[in-house]
Every structure is written in C-alpha cells, then in structure tokens.
Amino acid sequence: PELPPANLLAQKFIGSTVYFRYPILHEGLVCAVADSTTVYRGNEKPRKLSSSAQEKRPTVLARMYKELQVGEGKVGTGGLILPKSDVTISLRPLERIDTLPDGMKVKVYAKREIELPFAATLYSPSRPDPRIEVPARLENDPYMFGKSKLEKGVAPGDTRRDRKFTSPPLNVKLGDFANGSAHAVSESQKMMSSRGFSTFARNQPTTPSAAGVLVRAPRRSLHTTSVLTRRGNPRMRLAGAAGALAFSSFFLVASLIQVVASTQTSLHACASVRRIQSPLPSLIEHESHDVTRTPTTPPIEFAHGTTTLSFVFQGGVIAAVDSRASIGNFVGSKTVQKVLPVSSSILGTMAGGAADCSFWIRFLRQQARLHEVQNKRSMSVARSSRILSNALYQYRGLGDLSVGSMIMGYDAREGFSIYYVDNTGARIRGEVFSVGSGSTFALGILDTELRYDMTEAEAISLGIKAIRHATARDAMSGGYIGVYLITKEGWAKVYSEDLAARATSR
C-alpha cells in the first residue's frame, strides 16, 4: 500500500521513537518528516524546499535506497529492499544511557540527525529491551539539530555533505549503553574504508611515513646529462650524448641477458620437476576425464520438525507451540520463539524454516503497521493472511522456501478466525489447525477433547495437553511449551513450561 501523506505521518511520528538499521534495530527520536517539496520539523510551520533542493532530491533518494540495499561496506549492513517512496524521516539515534546523581538512568540522544526512507523505520523488535525502557533527557528544543541545513535549502539526507551525521558504528552494543560509556570513533576507523559507502567524512588527515617526512628522491635520467653538457662547446655536447647512449645501451643489454637467464632457469626447474614426477603423465593422459573432474556431492537434506496448533472456542483463540529448532537429528535451539506478533490482535506461528518464517511474519507485521497508519484502524485477519499468501505465491519454486504458518486473531467484521498459509501460497480458513512433525499426535488429542463451549481455563489446559503429548512422541519437538490466548481485548501469553525441568522433577 502507498504511504499516507507526509503531513499526516508528521503528526503521528514527530516526537516519538522508532527503530532503524534492520536487523540491528537501533532506537531513534523522530525530529522531522519530509517529502519532495515540504519539510515538517517539530512544532514549526512546514518549510518549502528550495528549487535546487527539489531537483537534487531524486538523486539523494536513489542514493539512500541503494545504500540500504548494497550496504555501507561493513558487516551487518545492506540487503534491505524497500518500496519506493519520496517520504523520508529524520531522527536522532540513541547515543548512550547516563546515570544521574540520584541514581536515575536516562536516555541521551545524539546531537546529530540521519535521514532515512520512511519504510526503513517500520520494523520493531519482537520484545522490548528493558535496558532502554527509561525516560529520555531532552533539550528545550529537541528538534533543532539539522535545522540550519534546511534553512539553507540543502536537500535533506545529502549523504555526500552529511557523512559525519550518519549512525554510530556497528560495534556499539547496548551493554555499553547501560554502563553509560560514550563511544569515540578513532581516526583509524574513519580511514578504514576507501569505498563510496563509507559512513565517515572523507577529509582525512595526512599520514606521515615511517621516517616522519615524505621526501621525493631526485630523478636521474639522460635528460640530466644533456642539461649538464649544454654549457660546453658542441664537441663536449656530442661526447656527452654519445656517452649517455653507450651507458643506456649497456644497461639494456644487461637487462636482456638477465631476463633470458631467468627464463632458462625456470624452464630447467620445470623440466626437472617433470622428470621427478614421471609416473603421473601416463595416468593423466589415459584417465584425464576421471582425475580432473570434481565429483558431485549429493545435497544434504535436513529434516525440520516442530509442533504448533491453534483452535477457536467460545472465548477466543488458543495458540500453543513448542520451542525446539532441529536440523535433522541435531537440536539447533531449545528456546525458539515460534509465535510472533503481527498486530495488537493478530498472531502468527512458525513451522518450517526458522529464517523463512521469521522473515515473512516480520514482513507481514510491517504491512500491518503501514495499514494502521494509512487507514487509522487495525488490519483484519483475512487481509493479513491474504497479503502473506500473495507474497509467498510470488516466490513459489524459487529455492527451498519452507513456511507453514497460522495467522489468527480477532477483528470486528469476522470475529475470531484462523488461516493456514504455506510457501506454495495456499490459504485455508478453519477452526482447528496443527502444523509440524508432531501435528498428528496433537490432532489426536484435539479431535477427542475439543469443544466450542469450553471456558478459558479448559481451553488453555487442552492446548498444554496436546503439545505435551506431541513432544513425548515426536523427537523433533520439545523445549518449552508456550500457550497464547487471543480475546477481543488483544493477545497475551498465558502459560510457559520447561519440558526438560518437568522430566527431571519426575
């Protein structure tokens, strides 16, 4: 969907915090929103861009999108393909967390701004970080940084002029924020990149040589000899020229002799090596097609396994999952979050490839947030499942995409609903679903004991029982049991159990 106008986005986002630099998700304070003609900054009146800035803006936007796609020449950047739009957002990145004399921790935002396409700030973490859930210390006018740049009519986000206003380096960690330390960028880091994607200013200081002084050695040539002989008579000039010619001829002949000698030496060495390895040529001559051809290794097929289920009852929707990620017989992780939020009333489950499912559900979350901003209402469950189905259908058959997700939630039009969507683009609505290698065991419990008129407590107990039986019989399932309840007020995680601790306690 198309983005709303910049004036509406400015009313909603200026003064709030967003996350950028996916997948690192760095926090930033929004100071301004701009489109191709107007800049909306803080509480000020909208400012029109000058004609020169409007002419430069398409080039600046193209550079922004290209840098997000190809990266900044550092690990962890690039690979972000966004829908094209002329709306950009200016923000101040979170710089550090300070501790006040009374022991209170406050967030401090950098006194610089960076500008990004608006779609690059629509990602959000799956869970809030408690280390940065603290108040912010702001100036009297927190939107002033970058104001002079707009007054001069320079196109916002001109990365050639504003390299020093880019985001902090990738080695900044939240643990360092919590300690209240400020990160200073060394000169060696500023000069480490010579590519066009460097995030630092290009005015590098001159580096001296090992001796401390750069000295150009005087150049000796035939021209020097002729100059020295110009002051003599013609005979002296002729003698000097003849001597220079003889000198250069001598060095030319000596160079040719050295090249010929080195060539003969290398040929002699190759011949001696061939004599030493005399048994090999016969093998290579007769069996060259077997010796030189690299044998093809059959692809390794890793079996995935999980257990996810969901069902509708009179009080809402129950989603129950395990937390084990397996690669064949190897347990990759015991604590995978297999239920991801799409909106305040919609959840999605993961079954298949962990990376594939995580990426596409986060993509769906981005689309849901865009819909909420544009239409000022939450996206319906049917629309969410249709967007995911259409996206997966476009990529069917391209690689080993593995997705089996259940999109469930509540909306005022359809009530409680569940849709199953997989990597082929299939989209099926139902009342009961179970996906994964342990689904047959879970469905055996659900088909026997599920009733529509159950209470919330009974529905939660049924979800726990189904996952517990599936993990007992399916080797690919295990870890923790997580149960989520969706009601008209929203969703909440209502139960979590460590299956390993339960087995040990027995």
Side-chain angles (χ1 to χ4, degrees):
E2 295 183 0
L3 285 175
N7 57 347
L8 298 181
L9 295 173
Q11 296 175 11
K12 184 175 181 64
F13 282 90
I14 289 181
S16 63
T17 58
V18 296
Y19 293 90
F20 65 101
R21 300 194 76 183
Y22 179 84
I24 302 173
L25 296 181
H26 200 92
E27 182 180 310
L29 175 67
V30 180
C31 299
V33 177
D35 57 14
S36 58
T37 60
T38 313
V39 177
Y40 304 88
R41 174 172 294 277
N43 300 321
E44 298 179 354
K45 295 181 180 180
R47 292 175 176 268
K48 292 290 184 180
L49 291 176
S50 63
S51 57
S52 61
Q54 294 182 22
E55 293 176 358
K56 294 179 182 178
R57 190 166 179 83
T59 305
V60 173
L61 288 173
R63 191 182 302 121
M64 285 186 188
Y65 283 104
K66 182 178 180 181
E67 188 166 324
L68 290 172
Q69 181 177 357
V70 303
E72 303 171 3
K74 295 183 179 181
V75 177
T77 61
L80 193 60
I81 303 177
L82 301 172
K84 297 296 187 295
S85 173
D86 64 341
V87 181
T88 59
I89 188 169
S90 299
L91 51 87
R92 296 170 56 188
L94 177 63
E95 187 174 58
R96 65 183 186 274
I97 293 181
D98 286 346
T99 302
L100 301 181
D102 59 356
M104 181 180 179
K105 293 184 179 296
V106 293
K107 291 187 288 190
V108 178
Y109 293 98
K111 294 184 178 181
R112 61 181 183 273
E113 289 185 12
I114 61 174
E115 187 172 23
L116 297 168
F118 186 83
T121 63
L122 294 178
Y123 296 93
S124 59
S126 57
R127 63 182 67 180
D129 193 334
R131 294 174 293 179
I132 60 175
E133 294 295 326
V134 295
R137 184 175 64 184
L138 301 176
E139 299 80 3
N140 294 331
D141 186 5
Y143 315 112
M144 61 178 293
F145 303 99
K147 180 177 177 182
S148 59
K149 177 178 60 177
L150 298 178
E151 291 176 350
K152 294 178 180 179
V154 178
D158 193 340
T159 52
R160 292 190 181 273
R161 298 190 181 185
D162 301 330
R163 284 291 179 182
K164 60 183 179 180
F165 294 108
T166 52
S167 52
L170 289 176
N171 56 2
V172 177
K173 301 179 180 178
L174 289 178
D176 300 325
F177 287 151
N179 297 330
S181 60
H183 295 272
V185 181
S186 63
E187 292 296 326
S188 60
Q189 288 177 316
K190 292 184 179 180
M191 297 186 295
M192 65 183 296
S193 176
S194 60
R195 300 175 57 186
F197 307 131
S198 174
T199 58
F200 298 97
R202 297 175 182 266
N203 50 351
Q204 302 175 0
T206 305
T207 305
S209 62
V213 180
L214 295 177
V215 180
R216 181 180 295 275
R219 186 174 181 178
R220 301 294 183 182
S221 63
L222 297 179
H223 177 72
T224 307
T225 307
S226 62
V227 170
L228 294 177
T229 59
R230 283 178 184 176
R231 297 181 181 180
N233 53 28
R235 294 183 180 180
M236 293 295 296
R237 295 179 185 178
L238 182 60
L245 182 61
F247 190 72
S248 60
S249 301
F250 172 77
F251 272 100
L252 179 61
V253 173
S255 301
L256 289 175
I257 293 174
Q258 185 178 3
V259 170
V260 172
S262 61
T263 304
Q264 290 180 351
T265 304
S266 59
L267 291 177
H268 178 72
C270 293
S272 60
V273 170
R274 179 175 293 274
R275 285 194 296 269
I276 293 174
Q277 298 177 351
S278 57
L280 289 181
S282 59
L283 176 62
I284 295 178
E285 290 173 2
H286 299 287
E287 303 292 340
S288 59
H289 61 283
D290 293 332
V291 174
T292 60
R293 182 180 300 173
T294 303
T296 58
T297 304
I300 300 176
E301 299 291 342
F302 289 119
H304 303 286
T306 186
T307 303
T308 61
L309 63 89
S310 63
F311 59 86
V312 179
F313 70 105
Q314 57 86 21
V317 179
I318 288 291
V321 297
D322 71 322
S323 65
R324 174 175 292 179
S326 57
I327 309 174
N329 296 327
F330 175 74
V331 178
S333 176
K334 302 178 182 178
T335 57
V336 176
Q337 185 74 15
K338 296 186 180 181
V339 176
L340 298 178
V342 177
S343 67
S344 59
S345 58
I346 302 177
L347 293 176
T349 62
M350 293 171 46
D356 296 338
C357 295
S358 177
F359 172 83
W360 286 111
I361 293 181
R362 292 178 192 274
F363 163 79
L364 181 59
R365 183 193 309 172
Q366 174 192 0
Q367 299 299 317
R369 190 170 180 184
L370 274 173
H371 181 275
E372 183 177 354
V373 170
Q374 183 176 11
N375 300 281
K376 298 182 179 179
R377 66 174 184 271
S378 299
M379 183 183 291
S380 64
V381 184
R383 185 180 180 89
S384 301
S385 60
R386 173 60 67 187
I387 290 175
L388 181 59
S389 174
N390 292 342
L392 292 174
Y393 183 78
Q394 294 177 359
Y395 289 91
R396 71 193 188 284
L398 300 178
D400 298 328
L401 191 63
S402 178
V403 177
S405 178
M406 294 178 288
I407 306 300
M408 67 203 77
Y410 173 82
D411 57 79
R413 182 177 180 180
E414 297 186 356
F416 298 104
S417 56
I418 306 174
Y419 289 85
Y420 167 76
V421 181
D422 63 16
N423 50 269
T424 64
R427 174 176 174 266
I428 306 171
R429 180 174 181 177
E431 303 295 325
V432 183
F433 286 105
S434 184
V435 185
S437 57
S439 59
T440 53
F441 309 105
L443 286 173
I445 300 298
L446 295 178
D447 292 342
T448 304
E449 302 185 17
L450 178 60
R451 305 188 322 274
Y452 181 77
D453 59 348
M454 289 190 302
T455 63
E456 288 187 4
E458 291 174 340
I460 294 172
S461 299
L462 179 58
I464 297 171
K465 183 177 180 180
I467 295 294
R468 188 174 292 159
H469 278 70
T471 56
R473 294 296 181 183
D474 179 35
M476 303 292 184
S477 303
Y480 287 77
I481 296 178
V483 181
Y484 294 77
L485 172 64
I486 303 176
T487 62
K488 295 181 179 180
E489 289 74 24
W491 60 268
K493 187 174 184 180
V494 295
Y495 184 80
S496 180
E497 176 189 1
D498 186 358
L499 293 171
R502 178 181 177 86
T504 306
S505 61
R506 292 179 179 179

